[in-house]
Amino acid sequence: MAGEKSVWTPANIVTCVRIAFIPVFMAVAACAGAVGAPAAVAAFVLYTLLSLTDKVDGYLARSRNEITDFGKFLDPIADKLLVFSALLLLLQDGWVSVWAVFVILLREFLVSALRMVASANGQVIAADGLGKAKTAVTMVGLCGFYLAFALLSVGVADLGDMVLLVSRALFVAAVVLTVVSGVQYFWNARHVVFGE
């Protein structure tokens, strides 16, 4: 119809490409144990590029004034799929704790449910500073794990061990931020949950 905006904006296309390449990243990362260094390096590069596209699609949507409901729906799904694809692979290889993954998953379910309830009441719960910090620290920490794996695979053990240590510290910080930002979301939206 004339005057209607197409959902196929450059930002939404980038988001769709991000989702389409997540299984590719998972397949490459899963092969790294058998194939070795080339797959480990490719997994790191792929994950880093996919993480960066989150900033690209956000920038495109804002700069071109093409923020769509489709984009608002799809972008957080793409982010969560990217994070959990990496976490599940790291969990499978024993690099992260099942409890840490559970805490992150629980928080995402609870905040998503909170946003749905708020949306049904005509309210929007936007990401705040802590939520954005949580996402950034999580993404950097996960990129660090894959960088460490790549470095260890190519035989740069000392640097790989150091990057792994930093990545583990970042991951602990990400889990803490996950809990704190989740609590803050519910506190700020307590009127939605408890009707105050």
Side-chain angles (χ1 to χ4, degrees):
M1 239 185 229
E4 283 190 4
K5 286 185 180 179
S6 169
V7 297
W8 297 113
T9 63
N12 290 344
I13 290 170
V14 170
T15 303
C16 289
V17 167
R18 180 156 86 254
I19 292 172
F21 269 89
I22 289 172
V24 177
F25 153 71
M26 292 183 75
V28 171
C31 291
V35 176
V41 171
F44 163 66
V45 171
L46 256 176
Y47 192 77
T48 302
L49 289 175
L50 291 173
S51 298
L52 290 173
T53 61
D54 182 39
K55 297 297 180 190
V56 173
D57 59 18
Y59 170 76
L60 285 172
R62 288 187 299 272
S63 66
R64 297 167 60 90
N65 195 26
E66 292 177 338
I67 297 171
T68 64
D69 289 337
F70 181 68
K72 289 178 189 175
F73 165 76
L74 202 61
D75 185 60
I77 291 174
D79 294 345
K80 288 171 179 54
L81 284 174
L82 185 58
V83 167
F84 282 106
S85 66
L87 281 175
L88 290 173
L89 288 165
L90 292 171
L91 180 62
Q92 176 181 273
D93 293 336
W95 286 46
V96 296
S97 159
V98 67
W99 287 106
V101 176
F102 174 75
V103 166
I104 293 170
L105 185 60
L106 177 64
R107 185 263 192 200
E108 294 303 334
F109 272 122
L110 290 174
V111 171
S112 295
L114 176 64
R115 282 183 165 145
M116 281 192 290
V117 171
S119 178
N121 291 324
Q123 301 176 51
V124 176
I125 300 176
D128 59 11
L130 267 179
K132 290 176 181 177
K134 180 269 301 180
T135 301
V137 173
T138 302
M139 288 290 200
V140 173
L142 291 175
C143 286
F145 276 115
Y146 286 96
L147 174 59
F149 188 43
L151 290 169
L152 292 169
S153 297
V154 298
V156 189
D158 289 344
L159 184 56
D161 287 338
M162 186 173 71
V163 171
L164 182 58
L165 188 65
V166 172
S167 300
R168 284 182 171 150
L170 284 171
F171 188 65
V172 169
V175 172
V176 171
L177 284 170
T178 294
V179 173
V180 173
S181 65
V183 169
Q184 185 183 56
Y185 271 114
F186 274 86
W187 176 254
N188 290 343
R190 60 192 180 279
H191 60 284
V192 173
V193 179
F194 301 110
E196 291 180 8

